[in-house]
Amino acid sequence: MAASLASGEVVRRDGVAEVGAGAGAEEEDRWARLLPELVAEVVRRVEASGGERWPARRDVVSCASVCRRWREAAATVVRPLPESGEITFPASLKQPGPKDFPIQCFIKRNKKNYTFYLYLGLRNNLTVATDKGKFLMAAKRFRRGAHIEYVISLDADDLSQGNKAYVGKLRSDFWGTNFKIYDSQPPYDGAKVSSTRSIRHFGSRRISPKVSSGNFDVGQVSYKYNLLKSRGPRRMFCTMECPSVQETWENSFKVKSLRRPGTTVLRNKAPRWHEHLQCWCLNFHGQVTVASVKNFQLVATADLGYPDNSVGDEETVLLQFGKVDSDIFTMDYRQPLSAFQAFAICLSSFGTKLACE
């Protein structure tokens, strides 16, 4: 389990987070008395000492976990994910990815207990077979009456909706063709908590500890019916409330007002029929090696009211998901999607959808 950086936690040398109290408070006060300029210089040197990728980046996390002053220094020194392209803190999981290149991740599925684990690729050229990855999030599939839910957590061992590592969930309708994505924390000021029956009291504190928790609707994923059974892959559309680049970074370290985010509409990139191979094909640039109806690429559309007739950027793939082994799938995402949103969208692809295939 990777090091966590929830606000108010103390991280041991081995990178495992645990809650400090008592004697830890006295030591924290001693570190807090250091000059702000000195603290900033220490963090800056740690940041520049070759810790651009995990596991070396754990040193930056440890600095920000010392106390509030060190955390504030880290916020000024460490560039946000959209600029640096590096996932450092848990808050990075709900920040938009970089604009010019994708963040390469992969998902491991455990069919026996219906769990899914998201990892950050640690190699420049993602080779999943040999890449152990950096754990980011996990999800577990539950049946709630006629609905299916995927509970998403920062803790690989505790996947209950009541734990403090809970970050959100994905919920399907009766047919399993329409999904709603819920965030554990409000995406903007004045956002209303969802009133779905399955909501229970819980306390998510790992992303932004000072922000109130709940279940807030932040996106929808829909799969179009294919009642005529015409040949071709699934057709999907996503409507997402994507976070602001700067606001998500600042709000992870201090409470501030959040404006309502803009709406982004995505659709799957249309594949081409390959006459020689007699199959539908998409160019995954070597990232996907196994043919599957679950494979997809999402691009932006231009018009929310008429997604079928709109003209978007059909060349820039914002989310790519594909199979590379029996239970391993790649997940590459970029701005305006966050890792949390991308993971939730990919989870919707698992499971049979007879009416859509």
Side-chain angles (χ1 to χ4, degrees):
M1 180 81 175
S4 179
L5 218 211
S7 184
E9 291 179 342
V10 178
V11 180
R12 302 196 306 263
R13 287 185 178 179
D14 59 2
V16 180
E18 60 183 13
V19 177
E26 182 179 344
E27 183 174 350
E28 179 177 309
D29 183 62
R30 180 166 60 89
W31 286 103
R33 289 197 296 266
L34 293 176
L35 292 174
E37 295 81 2
L38 177 59
V39 174
E41 181 61 23
V42 171
V43 177
R44 190 176 295 109
R45 292 193 179 192
V46 172
E47 168 75 2
S49 64
E52 295 182 354
R53 300 182 68 85
W54 289 88
R57 199 146 189 81
R58 180 180 298 170
D59 296 336
V60 180
V61 175
S62 299
C63 286
S65 299
V66 173
C67 62
R68 178 179 296 179
R69 175 167 292 181
W70 285 67
R71 187 161 56 251
E72 292 174 350
T76 60
V77 172
V78 180
R79 293 179 300 158
L81 171 63
E83 297 178 14
S84 66
E86 299 294 340
I87 293 178
T88 304
F89 307 117
S92 303
L93 300 177
K94 290 190 178 179
Q95 294 171 1
K99 183 178 181 180
D100 299 327
F101 58 90
I103 295 290
Q104 295 184 328
C105 305
F106 60 93
I107 298 172
K108 289 187 177 181
R109 174 179 61 180
N110 188 327
K111 291 182 179 179
K112 293 182 179 180
N113 56 9
Y114 304 105
T115 53
F116 306 83
Y117 303 93
L118 177 66
Y119 294 87
L120 173 67
L122 299 182
R123 299 177 181 271
N124 292 327
N125 296 318
L126 184 61
T127 305
V128 176
T130 58
D131 193 345
K132 294 182 179 180
K134 161 76 170 65
F135 172 79
L136 299 178
M137 290 181 284
K140 186 174 179 64
R141 183 176 181 264
F142 295 93
R143 178 168 289 280
R144 312 285 192 193
H147 303 272
I148 297 295
E149 286 188 358
Y150 294 84
V151 174
I152 304 174
S153 172
L154 296 179
D155 192 334
D157 300 316
D158 189 351
L159 293 169
S160 64
Q161 190 169 321
N163 80 87
K164 291 186 177 181
Y166 171 79
V167 294
K169 70 176 182 178
L170 176 75
R171 178 179 170 88
S172 77
D173 64 359
F174 175 78
W175 299 105
T177 56
N178 293 289
F179 297 81
K180 283 193 174 182
I181 300 173
Y182 296 95
D183 196 329
S184 65
Q185 294 170 336
Y188 58 90
D189 288 349
K192 295 183 179 180
V193 178
S194 173
S195 59
T196 55
R197 291 183 179 180
S198 63
I199 290 179
R200 297 173 294 179
H201 176 73
F202 56 89
S204 176
R205 291 292 183 268
R206 298 283 284 278
I207 296 291
S208 297
K210 296 181 180 179
V211 179
S212 60
S213 300
N215 270 330
F216 301 88
D217 189 348
V218 295
Q220 297 184 14
V221 183
S222 300
Y223 292 82
K224 281 204 166 186
Y225 289 110
N226 184 17
L227 300 180
L228 299 178
K229 299 297 180 182
S230 58
R231 293 191 304 173
R234 297 170 177 172
R235 290 183 295 168
M236 59 189 295
F237 293 92
C238 306
T239 303
M240 309 296 299
E241 291 189 355
C242 295
S244 162
V245 174
Q246 187 63 24
E247 285 185 341
T248 52
W249 180 246
E250 293 179 353
N251 198 55
S252 62
F253 293 95
K254 58 182 179 180
V255 176
K256 65 185 295 290
S257 61
L258 287 173
R259 295 171 296 176
R260 184 159 189 165
T263 300
T264 300
V265 182
L266 308 173
R267 64 185 299 174
N268 66 300
K269 189 174 183 179
R272 296 182 179 180
W273 178 254
H274 197 292
E275 287 293 341
H276 179 68
L277 298 177
Q278 289 294 295
C279 65
W280 295 95
C281 295
L282 278 172
N283 184 7
F284 287 95
H285 303 283
Q287 291 289 88
V288 178
T289 57
V290 180
S292 172
V293 70
K294 298 179 178 64
N295 300 346
F296 66 80
Q297 292 178 330
L298 293 185
V299 295
T301 62
D303 194 327
L304 176 60
Y306 304 94
D308 284 319
N309 299 321
S310 62
V311 178
D313 184 359
E314 296 288 341
E315 297 302 320
T316 302
V317 176
L318 303 180
L319 174 60
Q320 177 173 284
F321 175 76
K323 194 171 186 179
V324 295
D325 205 343
S326 58
D327 290 307
I328 302 179
F329 304 80
T330 61
M331 188 195 88
D332 301 343
Y333 75 97
R334 65 169 70 193
Q335 198 176 126
L337 295 175
S338 67
F340 166 71
Q341 291 174 324
F343 188 36
I345 294 172
C346 292
L347 289 173
S348 73
S349 183
F350 291 99
T352 304
K353 298 173 176 58
L354 296 177
C356 305
E357 300 171 359

